[in-house]
Structure formats: structure tokens, C-alpha cells
Amino acid sequence: MYDNSHQQTLAGRIDWDKQQGMIPAIVQDHLSGTVLMLGYMDRDALAKTLETGLVTFYSRSKQRLWTKGESSGNGLKLVTIDCDCDNDTLLVQALPQGPTCHLGTTSCWDTRTLDFNAQLAALIQSRKPQTGSENSASYTSSLFQSGTKRIAQKVGEEGLETALAAATGDKAELVDEAADLLFHLMVLLEDQGLQLGDIQRRLFERHQKRSQG
């Protein structure tokens, strides 16, 4: 949440007259960088967003202020907000409290075209054997079929190889081993019903606590 001085500074920078008092606001997931949605804000919507810490728009169809999630519960907790170089568009970084799109998806756009991590996570999930389905011959499927202990062992092996590459100063090898480590970690997380986003949220929570302390 912002203090009044920041609110006045931000509102004062915006060129409200350029678009008749209404400016587009692009919302981005603060942790993953995924573009979530586009809305419009007027002065009152911006003021309410900054005051409450919940992203609020002006609904052109309802002709009133609309706080995202007011009916669905899938709100957007404000992290940062700022203008672009022309002061006529806002970039809002937020923490989504559930799916952002009314269709029940993370983003109003196909996230497979926006975020490679999301693409890779979806691919890993698709290779996880389902009850009653045929087992895939892919390496990822074989990892899942080998069980949690084997997947965890692979994470340990790749972690050691990553550390050794760094210790020897071989940057090309370090990149390769770190990629292997991240991939196997994502497989392990999927095996346990988790995602990289869960790790990112925990890191962000720790950062907030340390910053406030």
C-alpha cells in the first residue's frame, strides 16, 4: 500500500487529458511476470487502488468503479504501479488471488505464448502418468514412473554437478547443469503437487518480512 505522498506524485504525473480522463492499466503477475489482464482506470479508480491495496478499475460497461474479485473473490493485491514513458499507460504489478480471467484461467491471454516457465510446467504436467492412461515413453514420464525418491535423487545429483561446474569456473557447463537442475526440480515439484510459483511466493514473503523488519 502506498502513502499519500506517493499517490499524489503518481497521479500528478499521469496525462489524464490525453485520453479523456481514462487510461489503460496493464496488470502483470509480480512473481512470474505473466501479463494477466488489461483494464482502465480513472482518477477515482487509481486512488482506491492505492488506498486499499486492491486493484480497482473503472468498468466501462457498468459505468462504475469495479474492484477485481469483488464477486469472484479472485482479487489482485497491489505490489507496484507506475506510468510508462509517455505518462498515459499504467503498469500494475500484483499478486493474483486465484485465476484472473473470468474463464477460470491464469491470464486473459494464452499463457503458453507469454511465459516459457508456464509452457515447460504444462509440458511436465502433461507427462505425468494418469490413472488408466497409457504410459508415455518420454524421459519425463519415466521419471514420474520411477517414483519420488528417484526424482529427488536426480535433483541431488544435478545440484552437485551444478556446484562443481561453478567451483571449476566453467560457465558454459554451469548453465547446462543449472538448466538440468531446474528441470528436475520442476518435475519434483509437480510430483508433489507444487509449482515454481509456490517457491516464488515464499521468497517474496520472506523478502517482505525482512524489508519490514
Side-chain angles (χ1 to χ4, degrees), residues 123-124 126-129 134-146 183:
L123 177 62
I124 290 172
S126 72
R127 298 291 168 82
K128 187 175 183 179
E134 294 184 5
N135 291 334
S136 168
S138 73
Y139 172 69
T140 307
S141 293
S142 70
L143 279 175
F144 284 119
Q145 293 164 27
S146 67
F183 169 76

Side-chain angles (χ1 to χ4, degrees), residues 45 58 80 148:
Y58 182 82
T80 65
T148 301

